Every structure is written in C-alpha cells, then in structure tokens.
Amino acid sequence: MAGAPTKGKQKIGLKWSNPAVQSVVYQAALIAVVLYGGWVIVTTTQANLARLNIATGFGFMDNTAGFGIVQSLIPYTEESSYGRAFLVGLINTLMVAGIGIVLATILGFFVGVARLSSNWLVSRLAWTYVEVMRNIPLLLQLFFCYFTVLRPLPPPADSLSPLEGVYLNNRGVVVPSPVFGESSTLFVIAVLLSLVAGYAIIRWARKRQAATGEIFPAWRTAIAIVLGVPALIWLVGGAPFTLDLPVYRGFGFDGGMRLIPEFIALLLGLTLYTAAFIAEIVRAGILSVSHGQTEAAYALGLPQGRTLRLVVIPQALRVIVPPLTSQLLNLTKNSSLAVAIAYPDLVAVFAGTVLNQTGQAIEVIALTMAVYLTISLVTSFLMNLYNARVAIQER
Amino acid sequence: MENRFQALLMGLVLGAAIVYLFMPIAQAPGPAGNRPAAAESADGKARPEVRAGNTLAEVRNRGELVCGVNQGLPGFSNPDDKGHWSGIDVDYCRALASAIFDDPTKVKFRPLNAKDRFTALQSGEIDILSRNTTWTMSRDTQLGLDFAGVSYYDGQGFIVHKDSGIENAADLDGATICTQTGTTTELNVADYFRSHGYKYKVLSYEKNDEALAAYDNHRCDAYTTDASGLAAVRLKMKDPSQHRILPEIISKEPLGPAVRQGDPQWADIARWTLFALINADELGVTSKNVEEMKGSDSPRVRRLLGGEGAYGHMIGLTDDWVVRIIRHVGNYSEVFERNVGTNTKLGIERGLNALWNKGGIMYAPPIR
C-alpha cells in the first residue's frame, strides 16, 4: 500500500495529509462507533426485558411443548420438549428444501435447454413457462398449488387407488411402507457394495479411455451390477422386507407412509418457481459459450447431444454455478412461506407456535435466523467447492 | 509501522470522542412529556424504546388511544366496508377512550394477528391489547403484561361438516383438525385428545382465512376455535346449514384486555373501565337513562356516576368518568347485545356472561 513510497520519510509519516493515516483513523473511528452501537443495543434490550418482566434465556427449550405436529420424521409427541419441536421443524425444512433443490435444478436445466431448442413449439413452451412462473409472487403460487391440489381430490372414504395399496385423497398420498425383515441387513450391504463397484468400474473405464482410447461400456455394466446383484440376493434369500399396507379406518388410513398435501403443494410451488429462474441462468450460461465451440465440435464429428454434454455444458457451468447458488439459497429461504399453508416447517413450528407459547421472541427469532444462516452458508460452501472444480483452469 | 499505531490510536480517540458526543442522545431517557411527540414525528411507527409508568400522560399527549384488535372477528372486532370497527373488544377500547377524552372516536385501532399481538404490546406499539386474548398464567407471568379482567367468558369448541356424521366430540377420534397458529387452541386440542386417548392430526395455518378454506375443502374434519368464533365462522360458510357446532366445550377461555406491566395506574384504568361497564349493567345504568340516574338516591349509583366520592381522581381521571363511558358506549349488557346478542346475526345467549345474580358468572368488584 503506502509502504513503499513513504519508506524513506518515516518522520513526516504521521501527517493528516498522508492518505494512509487518514484511512486508518477513519476506519478505527468507524469500528469504535459500530462496536459502541452494538453494545448499547444489547445492554438496552437486556435492561428493558428485565424491567418489563419478560422471561429471557434458552431454558424454555427443555419445557414440554404440549402441541401436536402433523408431520414428523423423528418420534414426537405432545409430551416432547420445545427443543424436540425445534428439531422436527428443522428436519421438515431441510426435507422440503433438499428435495426442492434437486428437483428445481433438474427441471431448470431441462427448461433452460428447451428454451434454446430449435424446435419452435418446445422453445415457446419453455418461454411461456419461464415468463408465467417467475412473474407471479410465490405466495400466490403456493395458495394456488395448495387449493388446486386439494379441491379436486376425493375425501378419504372415496380414495382413488391407482395401484394396490396406494391411495390418493384430500388428506394426501398414502403408500405401503416397507417393513424390514431378517435378511434385510445382507440386502442393504449388497446394495451398497454394488453401488461402490459400479462407481469403481466407471472411473476405471474413464481412466483407461483417457490413457489408451479404448472404449468400455462402463455405464451399462455398472447398471447391470447395481440392479442385478440385489435382485439375485432377493431371489435366493427371499424378499428382504414385507409391505405394510395402509388400511382405511374411521377418518383416514392407518399404516403405510404418507405425503401430506401441504408438503406436496409447497414442494411443487418452490420447485416450479425456482426452476423458472434456474432455466434463465442455464440459458445465459449456454449462450455465453461462443458458437465457434459448437461449430468446432460439429467439425470434429461430435453429434449434437455429445457436443452439448462434452463441450458446451462444461464451459457454461462456470457461468451458471454462482447465480445458481443464490437461487438454491432462495429456495431454502422461501420454504419459510410454508406457514401460510400449514406445512410444519421451522418457521411455522418454532417461530410460530413455540414463539407464541413462550413469548420469547428475541431468543426464538435469533435461533431461527441462525439456522437459516447456517443452512445457507453450508449450501454456499458446497456450491463454492463445486464452482472451484468447474471453474476454468488458467494455465 | 509506528505510524500505523499512532494513527490507530488517533482513530480510537476520535471514535471515543464521537461516541461521547452522541452519548446523551443514546442514553438519556428524556422527560416523560416530550418523548411521544418527538418519537411520533418521524414516521408514526413504533418506537423501539419501551416506557413504563406514564401511559396515561402519553395517551393524553398523543390525543388518542392506540388499541390492538383482531383483524376480523365478527362480534369482537370487525371492520365494515367503510373501515368502521365494531365488536365487544372494539367497544371496550371506545369505553376507555371515552373515560379519558370524553370522546369514543379518539381511538386508533391497530389490527393484529394472533402471533404478533404480544410483541406489539411489549414494544409499545399499542397502549392496550383488546383482541379476544385468553388470560393464562404463562401469558400473565412470562410476557411482561397484565390482564385487566375478563370481558367475555368463552370456551373452545368444534365445527364439523354435517355430512361427516359427527355428532359430538367423541366421534372425532382420528380426525384432522384445522386451526390458527399462535393461539391457545393448539394446546387445548392436544390436551383434549391426549386426555381422552384419541388420535388426531392438527393443521395450524398462519391466517384464519386459509384455515377456513382448508376446512371448507374437507382437508380437515373439524375446525376449532372459541365457541363465540364458531358462530361467526358458520356465518362465513357458503351454506351455514351444512355445518354443525358440536355441543362440547373443551376449555376455559376467559378473554380480556391486557396492558404492559410496570404502569400500575394504567392497569387500574384498564381494569376499572371494564368493571364500570359491568357495575353499570348490574345497577341498571344505561346510555339512555344515565343523565336521570345521576340524580339517583342509591349510594351505589351515586358513587358509580361520581355523585359521591372522588373515584375518578383515584385513577387519574375525572370523577364523571363512568358517565362518559356509559353515555358514549353503554353498559356491558348494551355492548353485549349490540355486538353478539340474540338479536344479532351471531345470536349468542348471555350464558356464562350473564351477571352473577342472573345465572352467569360476570361479577365486578364494587366501586367504593
């Protein structure tokens, strides 16, 4: 910085005219003011809360929650603690965000590529989808999804049953759940081993092709192994699990697994909305690759699909990944709209019901914000790792 | 390098100097009288600092009462198409404004959802919360607020679709229940079903409208809220005759206005305004006869209406405070019958809310 030119003039360095001195003074003053401001806010808040007799601290997390939650992946009853309710909400948020991220990315890529299709109908359809979806507020789309999913479906007594044991009604989708029997351990191990083997074969084939140019049908072999080995064990050792069929009783179905309509509507809304933005990012990424690259690939005799997969997409990714990351973060944060349609996510359960029952707004909201911050930073970190891998290597 | 250190020091000194200069603004609480004016001037939004001990002076300075009410609950607080509010909770705030200003229109109603109501009171955004709020121990002790009394004895009930064949609450075993989040109803449902060993699923919506739409679409077998609310809910349905309110009441819901803790005078004003409404009902003082009743021989009526004693002054108001309330708003019976009584669409009987000497439990300590 200012080090090199002022080296010989140490004695007159501390003059106001020295820009380095000025900048340090200003920065130190700003930091002092900011720190003091933060300190004032914290102490004032504490003093006011104490004066108003409002309970503080995180002691409430161990108290009995006393309310029910409609969807929980971990054991939860009314006797569980607020801390447990927090976990239930967190897991529900992660579930809808995780599945949403995968689906939105896949759908977004398809629509983005379709938008550039030379087929007039396909590209117009993709264009319409993008323009409609990204220009309507997400909350309205969620209501739309929720009530259009709900309205036409029959009540549980007249459930639609497209398959044996699968029921569709306005309480959601119920499917048979697997109950793992004795031979299931062996089966799970076999599935995992065959997955590892399949992956190893693909890597080996890729290396060999790079070294020798010989092509080995790696994908076909891998799929055969992944499907074949477990199937063999199934045939020899008998079914590894039995099915727990849902039974209609009173107001709905007992047994089986269910997806509640709130989850389906939220997932649908988040996916469709975010995919529209991802599609535009993908389109921009592909367009950023010079047309010369495509022409060169054609000239080498690569077919259209491979040109896209091997030449265009890898170069487009370095443009796509950073904005894609922010869309994925948006999806996660937008999942907090769940409370509007009664999906029990973190905001609905913790920043809603728990907050209202304990009244400890500062603790509850701070914790909720910290959770979203953590989820977003982790997502961001993973995407940055991926970005470093796909970024162009300068040589 | 030495320069850096010196510059850093200079900066810290400068920072300290700036902080010192602005310290009086940040820390000084300021005299009671001039703060509301200063804080309101900027944008009329909530003031972050929380005061205690001078709510009455502040309300007088501002020239109006800010009252937190429900966003829309017929009979309790509901705006019409011209933005005119009506309901029991609304009339209570008008009574309070009448006692202070002799003018029931000097109230600004702030509609609040169930979730935000306590924060609004704690932060000083509203002076009083009159929003069909259940008085519970944890709310009274943990939230930094004080309940002024009970303005309506309610209880939680269920409404179901008639075609479901559900006749009473015992038929609800295994049912899905819709409700609004941020209310005591979520807990009551859990308690009720748990204590009876019934299975249930509960769906909590942020807004009542979505909860009702879901119930209407048969997403839930039953919708639950306070019994008084159920009557209003049935009216909102496309065909009210297709819905049945179950006979069981599963909880005690004493609804009443609440104030911030730390201002005993303001809490007294809130409490005795409510008691004045009930006492006037008991003594037969109505908006129609209040002027004649001023000349009554009954010492109880004379104390109520300021003819004897200086009861208004004890709480920082004028001695004709009850006259003002009754003249503008009427007594409890008038408020009840006007908003939810048998001649209204809601058609609710006095029931528990009848006076203690008329078969109910509505009872107010005497003014003496």
Side-chain angles (χ1 to χ4, degrees), chain A residues 223-236:
Chain A
I223 290 170
I225 290 176
V226 170
L227 292 182
V229 173
L232 204 66
I233 292 187
W234 189 318
L235 283 178
V236 175

mmCIF file with all atom_site columns, all heavy atoms in Angstrom, chain A residues 223-236:
data_model
loop_
_atom_site.group_PDB
_atom_site.id
_atom_site.type_symbol
_atom_site.label_atom_id
_atom_site.label_alt_id
_atom_site.label_comp_id
_atom_site.label_asym_id
_atom_site.label_entity_id
_atom_site.label_seq_id
_atom_site.pdbx_PDB_ins_code
_atom_site.Cartn_x
_atom_site.Cartn_y
_atom_site.Cartn_z
_atom_site.occupancy
_atom_site.B_iso_or_equiv
_atom_site.pdbx_formal_charge
_atom_site.auth_seq_id
_atom_site.auth_comp_id
_atom_site.auth_asym_id
_atom_site.auth_atom_id
_atom_site.pdbx_PDB_model_num
ATOM 1   N N   . ILE A 1 223 ? -24.822 -50.396 -14.319 1.00 0.00 ? 223 ILE A N   1
ATOM 2   C CA  . ILE A 1 223 ? -26.263 -50.504 -14.037 1.00 0.00 ? 223 ILE A CA  1
ATOM 3   C C   . ILE A 1 223 ? -26.647 -51.967 -13.844 1.00 0.00 ? 223 ILE A C   1
ATOM 4   O O   . ILE A 1 223 ? -27.405 -52.314 -12.944 1.00 0.00 ? 223 ILE A O   1
ATOM 5   C CB  . ILE A 1 223 ? -27.082 -49.848 -15.176 1.00 0.00 ? 223 ILE A CB  1
ATOM 6   C CG1 . ILE A 1 223 ? -26.884 -48.331 -15.120 1.00 0.00 ? 223 ILE A CG1 1
ATOM 7   C CG2 . ILE A 1 223 ? -28.567 -50.189 -15.061 1.00 0.00 ? 223 ILE A CG2 1
ATOM 8   C CD1 . ILE A 1 223 ? -27.439 -47.591 -16.300 1.00 0.00 ? 223 ILE A CD1 1
ATOM 9   N N   . ALA A 1 224 ? -26.053 -52.824 -14.684 1.00 0.00 ? 224 ALA A N   1
ATOM 10  C CA  . ALA A 1 224 ? -26.344 -54.257 -14.566 1.00 0.00 ? 224 ALA A CA  1
ATOM 11  C C   . ALA A 1 224 ? -25.939 -54.760 -13.183 1.00 0.00 ? 224 ALA A C   1
ATOM 12  O O   . ALA A 1 224 ? -26.679 -55.523 -12.545 1.00 0.00 ? 224 ALA A O   1
ATOM 13  C CB  . ALA A 1 224 ? -25.608 -55.031 -15.657 1.00 0.00 ? 224 ALA A CB  1
ATOM 14  N N   . ILE A 1 225 ? -24.780 -54.300 -12.698 1.00 0.00 ? 225 ILE A N   1
ATOM 15  C CA  . ILE A 1 225 ? -24.326 -54.766 -11.386 1.00 0.00 ? 225 ILE A CA  1
ATOM 16  C C   . ILE A 1 225 ? -25.250 -54.236 -10.286 1.00 0.00 ? 225 ILE A C   1
ATOM 17  O O   . ILE A 1 225 ? -25.701 -54.975 -9.410  1.00 0.00 ? 225 ILE A O   1
ATOM 18  C CB  . ILE A 1 225 ? -22.872 -54.306 -11.129 1.00 0.00 ? 225 ILE A CB  1
ATOM 19  C CG1 . ILE A 1 225 ? -21.928 -55.088 -12.046 1.00 0.00 ? 225 ILE A CG1 1
ATOM 20  C CG2 . ILE A 1 225 ? -22.486 -54.500 -9.670  1.00 0.00 ? 225 ILE A CG2 1
ATOM 21  C CD1 . ILE A 1 225 ? -20.499 -54.652 -11.938 1.00 0.00 ? 225 ILE A CD1 1
ATOM 22  N N   . VAL A 1 226 ? -25.550 -52.927 -10.350 1.00 0.00 ? 226 VAL A N   1
ATOM 23  C CA  . VAL A 1 226 ? -26.344 -52.297 -9.293  1.00 0.00 ? 226 VAL A CA  1
ATOM 24  C C   . VAL A 1 226 ? -27.740 -52.903 -9.208  1.00 0.00 ? 226 VAL A C   1
ATOM 25  O O   . VAL A 1 226 ? -28.293 -53.080 -8.124  1.00 0.00 ? 226 VAL A O   1
ATOM 26  C CB  . VAL A 1 226 ? -26.417 -50.770 -9.525  1.00 0.00 ? 226 VAL A CB  1
ATOM 27  C CG1 . VAL A 1 226 ? -27.429 -50.138 -8.590  1.00 0.00 ? 226 VAL A CG1 1
ATOM 28  C CG2 . VAL A 1 226 ? -25.041 -50.153 -9.312  1.00 0.00 ? 226 VAL A CG2 1
ATOM 29  N N   . LEU A 1 227 ? -28.314 -53.245 -10.348 1.00 0.00 ? 227 LEU A N   1
ATOM 30  C CA  . LEU A 1 227 ? -29.650 -53.838 -10.316 1.00 0.00 ? 227 LEU A CA  1
ATOM 31  C C   . LEU A 1 227 ? -29.580 -55.350 -10.114 1.00 0.00 ? 227 LEU A C   1
ATOM 32  O O   . LEU A 1 227 ? -30.404 -55.934 -9.418  1.00 0.00 ? 227 LEU A O   1
ATOM 33  C CB  . LEU A 1 227 ? -30.403 -53.529 -11.617 1.00 0.00 ? 227 LEU A CB  1
ATOM 34  C CG  . LEU A 1 227 ? -30.794 -52.079 -11.838 1.00 0.00 ? 227 LEU A CG  1
ATOM 35  C CD1 . LEU A 1 227 ? -31.563 -51.940 -13.137 1.00 0.00 ? 227 LEU A CD1 1
ATOM 36  C CD2 . LEU A 1 227 ? -31.648 -51.573 -10.673 1.00 0.00 ? 227 LEU A CD2 1
ATOM 37  N N   . GLY A 1 228 ? -28.595 -55.965 -10.737 1.00 0.00 ? 228 GLY A N   1
ATOM 38  C CA  . GLY A 1 228 ? -28.535 -57.429 -10.789 1.00 0.00 ? 228 GLY A CA  1
ATOM 39  C C   . GLY A 1 228 ? -28.210 -58.094 -9.474  1.00 0.00 ? 228 GLY A C   1
ATOM 40  O O   . GLY A 1 228 ? -28.905 -59.021 -9.049  1.00 0.00 ? 228 GLY A O   1
ATOM 41  N N   . VAL A 1 229 ? -27.183 -57.592 -8.785  1.00 0.00 ? 229 VAL A N   1
ATOM 42  C CA  . VAL A 1 229 ? -26.729 -58.262 -7.566  1.00 0.00 ? 229 VAL A CA  1
ATOM 43  C C   . VAL A 1 229 ? -27.824 -58.285 -6.495  1.00 0.00 ? 229 VAL A C   1
ATOM 44  O O   . VAL A 1 229 ? -28.144 -59.345 -5.955  1.00 0.00 ? 229 VAL A O   1
ATOM 45  C CB  . VAL A 1 229 ? -25.423 -57.601 -7.051  1.00 0.00 ? 229 VAL A CB  1
ATOM 46  C CG1 . VAL A 1 229 ? -25.044 -58.169 -5.696  1.00 0.00 ? 229 VAL A CG1 1
ATOM 47  C CG2 . VAL A 1 229 ? -24.305 -57.809 -8.051  1.00 0.00 ? 229 VAL A CG2 1
ATOM 48  N N   . PRO A 1 230 ? -28.446 -57.126 -6.191  1.00 0.00 ? 230 PRO A N   1
ATOM 49  C CA  . PRO A 1 230 ? -29.523 -57.180 -5.187  1.00 0.00 ? 230 PRO A CA  1
ATOM 50  C C   . PRO A 1 230 ? -30.675 -58.083 -5.632  1.00 0.00 ? 230 PRO A C   1
ATOM 51  O O   . PRO A 1 230 ? -31.259 -58.786 -4.800  1.00 0.00 ? 230 PRO A O   1
ATOM 52  C CB  . PRO A 1 230 ? -29.976 -55.714 -5.075  1.00 0.00 ? 230 PRO A CB  1
ATOM 53  C CG  . PRO A 1 230 ? -28.816 -54.924 -5.551  1.00 0.00 ? 230 PRO A CG  1
ATOM 54  C CD  . PRO A 1 230 ? -28.177 -55.742 -6.612  1.00 0.00 ? 230 PRO A CD  1
ATOM 55  N N   . ALA A 1 231 ? -30.963 -58.049 -6.944  1.00 0.00 ? 231 ALA A N   1
ATOM 56  C CA  . ALA A 1 231 ? -32.067 -58.883 -7.439  1.00 0.00 ? 231 ALA A CA  1
ATOM 57  C C   . ALA A 1 231 ? -31.757 -60.352 -7.197  1.00 0.00 ? 231 ALA A C   1
ATOM 58  O O   . ALA A 1 231 ? -32.635 -61.140 -6.798  1.00 0.00 ? 231 ALA A O   1
ATOM 59  C CB  . ALA A 1 231 ? -32.304 -58.621 -8.921  1.00 0.00 ? 231 ALA A CB  1
ATOM 60  N N   . LEU A 1 232 ? -30.497 -60.711 -7.407  1.00 0.00 ? 232 LEU A N   1
ATOM 61  C CA  . LEU A 1 232 ? -30.069 -62.094 -7.205  1.00 0.00 ? 232 LEU A CA  1
ATOM 62  C C   . LEU A 1 232 ? -30.261 -62.496 -5.746  1.00 0.00 ? 232 LEU A C   1
ATOM 63  O O   . LEU A 1 232 ? -30.808 -63.563 -5.432  1.00 0.00 ? 232 LEU A O   1
ATOM 64  C CB  . LEU A 1 232 ? -28.587 -62.212 -7.588  1.00 0.00 ? 232 LEU A CB  1
ATOM 65  C CG  . LEU A 1 232 ? -28.113 -63.622 -7.994  1.00 0.00 ? 232 LEU A CG  1
ATOM 66  C CD1 . LEU A 1 232 ? -28.793 -64.047 -9.289  1.00 0.00 ? 232 LEU A CD1 1
ATOM 67  C CD2 . LEU A 1 232 ? -26.597 -63.634 -8.136  1.00 0.00 ? 232 LEU A CD2 1
ATOM 68  N N   . ILE A 1 233 ? -29.825 -61.603 -4.875  1.00 0.00 ? 233 ILE A N   1
ATOM 69  C CA  . ILE A 1 233 ? -29.950 -61.897 -3.434  1.00 0.00 ? 233 ILE A CA  1
ATOM 70  C C   . ILE A 1 233 ? -31.423 -62.002 -3.046  1.00 0.00 ? 233 ILE A C   1
ATOM 71  O O   . ILE A 1 233 ? -31.809 -62.860 -2.250  1.00 0.00 ? 233 ILE A O   1
ATOM 72  C CB  . ILE A 1 233 ? -29.227 -60.801 -2.614  1.00 0.00 ? 233 ILE A CB  1
ATOM 73  C CG1 . ILE A 1 233 ? -27.734 -60.938 -2.863  1.00 0.00 ? 233 ILE A CG1 1
ATOM 74  C CG2 . ILE A 1 233 ? -29.557 -60.927 -1.136  1.00 0.00 ? 233 ILE A CG2 1
ATOM 75  C CD1 . ILE A 1 233 ? -26.882 -60.072 -2.019  1.00 0.00 ? 233 ILE A CD1 1
ATOM 76  N N   . TRP A 1 234 ? -32.239 -61.136 -3.656  1.00 0.00 ? 234 TRP A N   1
ATOM 77  C CA  . TRP A 1 234 ? -33.687 -61.165 -3.388  1.00 0.00 ? 234 TRP A CA  1
ATOM 78  C C   . TRP A 1 234 ? -34.240 -62.545 -3.744  1.00 0.00 ? 234 TRP A C   1
ATOM 79  O O   . TRP A 1 234 ? -34.964 -63.173 -2.987  1.00 0.00 ? 234 TRP A O   1
ATOM 80  C CB  . TRP A 1 234 ? -34.359 -60.078 -4.230  1.00 0.00 ? 234 TRP A CB  1
ATOM 81  C CG  . TRP A 1 234 ? -35.799 -59.844 -3.917  1.00 0.00 ? 234 TRP A CG  1
ATOM 82  C CD1 . TRP A 1 234 ? -36.764 -60.770 -3.665  1.00 0.00 ? 234 TRP A CD1 1
ATOM 83  C CD2 . TRP A 1 234 ? -36.431 -58.567 -3.810  1.00 0.00 ? 234 TRP A CD2 1
ATOM 84  N NE1 . TRP A 1 234 ? -37.953 -60.164 -3.417  1.00 0.00 ? 234 TRP A NE1 1
ATOM 85  C CE2 . TRP A 1 234 ? -37.787 -58.811 -3.503  1.00 0.00 ? 234 TRP A CE2 1
ATOM 86  C CE3 . TRP A 1 234 ? -35.999 -57.249 -3.958  1.00 0.00 ? 234 TRP A CE3 1
ATOM 87  C CZ2 . TRP A 1 234 ? -38.705 -57.777 -3.331  1.00 0.00 ? 234 TRP A CZ2 1
ATOM 88  C CZ3 . TRP A 1 234 ? -36.916 -56.234 -3.803  1.00 0.00 ? 234 TRP A CZ3 1
ATOM 89  C CH2 . TRP A 1 234 ? -38.241 -56.484 -3.490  1.00 0.00 ? 234 TRP A CH2 1
ATOM 90  N N   . LEU A 1 235 ? -33.817 -63.051 -4.958  1.00 0.00 ? 235 LEU A N   1
ATOM 91  C CA  . LEU A 1 235 ? -34.317 -64.332 -5.424  1.00 0.00 ? 235 LEU A CA  1
ATOM 92  C C   . LEU A 1 235 ? -33.848 -65.467 -4.527  1.00 0.00 ? 235 LEU A C   1
ATOM 93  O O   . LEU A 1 235 ? -34.618 -66.359 -4.185  1.00 0.00 ? 235 LEU A O   1
ATOM 94  C CB  . LEU A 1 235 ? -33.829 -64.589 -6.862  1.00 0.00 ? 235 LEU A CB  1
ATOM 95  C CG  . LEU A 1 235 ? -34.573 -63.834 -7.961  1.00 0.00 ? 235 LEU A CG  1
ATOM 96  C CD1 . LEU A 1 235 ? -33.973 -64.123 -9.319  1.00 0.00 ? 235 LEU A CD1 1
ATOM 97  C CD2 . LEU A 1 235 ? -36.049 -64.234 -7.945  1.00 0.00 ? 235 LEU A CD2 1
ATOM 98  N N   . VAL A 1 236 ? -32.584 -65.413 -4.140  1.00 0.00 ? 236 VAL A N   1
ATOM 99  C CA  . VAL A 1 236 ? -32.018 -66.514 -3.356  1.00 0.00 ? 236 VAL A CA  1
ATOM 100 C C   . VAL A 1 236 ? -32.517 -66.456 -1.915  1.00 0.00 ? 236 VAL A C   1
ATOM 101 O O   . VAL A 1 236 ? -33.010 -67.434 -1.360  1.00 0.00 ? 236 VAL A O   1
ATOM 102 C CB  . VAL A 1 236 ? -30.467 -66.460 -3.391  1.00 0.00 ? 236 VAL A CB  1
ATOM 103 C CG1 . VAL A 1 236 ? -29.885 -67.530 -2.473  1.00 0.00 ? 236 VAL A CG1 1
ATOM 104 C CG2 . VAL A 1 236 ? -29.976 -66.650 -4.810  1.00 0.00 ? 236 VAL A CG2 1
#
